[in-house]
Amino acid sequence: MSTATKPMLTEAVMFFSERGICKEMLFPEFEALLDGLVASPEFADETVEAAFVQINSRLQVRAAVFFTLDFDLDGYVNRLWNMPLRQLAEKAERGPDMGGGPIRLVCLGYNKQPNYRPLLWKPGQRAGTNDLALIKEAVTRNTLGILGEDEEAIGIISPERLQVAAEDSWYGSGVIIDPDNTTLTPIESSAPHSDDLDEVLEQHALETREYQRQIELLNNRLKALTLEKDQALAELKGTHADHLEIVQGELLDIKQELAQQQKLNVALKRDLVKLQSRTSTDID
């Protein structure tokens, strides 16, 4: 019995400006943005409208969550921001058809969870084009480099093109025994689709290498971001250490000045006592 496999979906985030989509990134990059590993200086001190989208291998949008994101003065995401985008997309209601059937849609006015309403926005017209159409065009351009589905390879291995070998060749090493003769008769090997199979295997190898390349790029980027964050933290610690040293020096100066003032006060009190003693003697 065969079971239907769940289609692979690529997750991405698209940011909007007044003129349309101004920035796109895959979801792992967005997670690095949320973790504070990177900043987006172009969004500094702004509340940006964005969309979390799930895209299938045919470059068709299957889900979209329209949310807002706050950035601080340095372009880092507000650390209080918290929104389960993937869970919202999975539980979303049916929305419009964007070419691959009705999508799952979450936006302002189209969401069953009111606690997330302040973080949602409603898509509309932007620079004369519908926001959903802008997303569809961006997905079609595929600037994110999403690996599409190889329809030719799928056709090669489709069930109606599969061939079953004869029952007497299911077992053994490619020979049959002639009951009237003790000699072994080799079975003639026929591979009408060997070239097609080679093409499929080659295509799979190419896709595997491409996935490995993307994983390596993401790992290298993550390492670079981690190094950048560590360097920034080290610089911040150094600045704080210098400031602490200055404050400690100033405090030491104050303590020394206070000690000198105390000595001066003691000397003045001693002189005052002597003066009072002389005055009383003169009066007597």
Side-chain angles (χ1 to χ4, degrees):
M1 182 178 65
S2 62
T3 58
T5 58
K6 188 176 181 180
M8 293 292 293
L9 296 175
T10 300
E11 297 173 328
V13 175
M14 300 183 181
F15 297 88
F16 288 80
S17 66
E18 295 180 355
R19 293 179 293 180
I21 295 175
C22 59
K23 189 171 186 177
E24 305 173 43
M25 61 177 62
L26 295 172
F27 195 68
E29 299 178 75
F30 181 69
E31 289 179 313
L33 190 66
L34 293 180
D35 292 337
L37 297 177
V38 292
S40 291
E42 66 271 31
F43 298 143
D45 197 25
E46 291 186 11
T47 297
V48 181
E49 294 179 340
F52 167 77
V53 293
Q54 292 180 332
I55 307 164
N56 65 14
S57 58
R58 295 179 181 270
L59 297 181
Q60 297 168 336
V61 178
R62 302 306 304 132
V65 179
F66 292 84
F67 65 96
T68 60
L69 197 61
D70 294 330
F71 290 84
D72 62 17
L73 294 174
D74 297 321
Y76 288 95
V77 175
N78 185 347
R79 292 190 176 275
L80 298 179
W81 188 92
N82 184 20
M83 198 172 184
L85 298 173
R86 186 177 291 122
Q87 289 83 348
L88 288 174
E90 290 175 352
K91 298 178 181 179
E93 296 182 351
R94 289 164 61 92
D97 188 339
M98 294 182 63
I103 68 170
R104 298 188 303 277
L105 176 65
V106 176
C107 66
L108 185 62
Y110 208 80
N111 175 42
K112 290 184 177 180
Q113 302 187 42
N115 50 319
Y116 295 117
R117 187 173 301 163
L119 299 176
L120 297 175
W121 62 283
K122 185 176 182 179
Q125 294 286 332
R126 196 181 306 261
T129 306
N130 186 279
D131 290 332
L132 293 175
L134 291 174
I135 292 178
K136 184 177 180 180
E137 292 173 1
V139 171
T140 303
R141 287 195 302 269
N142 195 20
T143 56
L144 294 174
I146 300 172
L147 292 177
E149 187 177 80
D150 191 341
E151 297 183 2
E152 182 179 354
I154 291 177
I156 292 173
I157 60 175
S158 59
E160 59 271 16
R161 298 191 61 178
L162 295 177
Q163 295 186 357
V164 180
E167 184 177 355
D168 55 7
S169 63
W170 288 1
Y171 308 99
S173 58
V175 296
I176 58 174
I177 300 177
D178 186 353
D180 298 328
N181 194 347
T182 57
T183 60
L184 299 179
T185 305
I187 298 175
E188 293 184 2
S189 175
S190 62
H193 297 289
S194 59
D195 293 339
D196 294 340
L197 181 59
D198 291 340
E199 291 180 5
V200 173
L201 294 176
E202 183 179 358
Q203 180 64 28
H204 286 178
L206 290 174
E207 291 180 358
T208 300
R209 287 196 293 269
E210 179 62 21
Y211 278 123
Q212 291 174 343
R213 186 186 68 83
Q214 292 187 10
I215 292 173
E216 184 177 358
L217 287 175
L218 289 175
N219 286 334
N220 291 337
R221 187 167 185 177
L222 182 59
K223 290 179 181 178
L225 294 175
T226 303
L227 179 61
E228 181 180 349
K229 183 178 180 181
D230 291 341
Q231 291 176 347
L233 183 60
E235 292 177 0
L236 185 61
K237 288 182 178 179
T239 302
H240 286 177
D242 294 340
H243 182 67
L244 180 61
E245 185 177 355
I246 293 173
V247 172
Q248 289 177 340
E250 293 177 350
L251 182 60
L252 181 60
D253 293 340
I254 292 174
K255 287 183 177 180
Q256 292 176 350
E257 185 177 352
L258 180 60
Q260 292 176 356
Q261 188 66 37
Q262 289 176 343
K263 290 180 180 180
L264 181 60
N265 289 342
V266 171
L268 290 174
K269 287 181 180 180
R270 189 183 305 114
D271 293 342
L272 180 60
V273 171
K274 290 180 180 179
L275 180 60
Q276 290 176 346
S277 177
R278 290 177 183 175
T279 303
S280 61
T281 302
D282 293 341
I283 293 175
D284 293 340

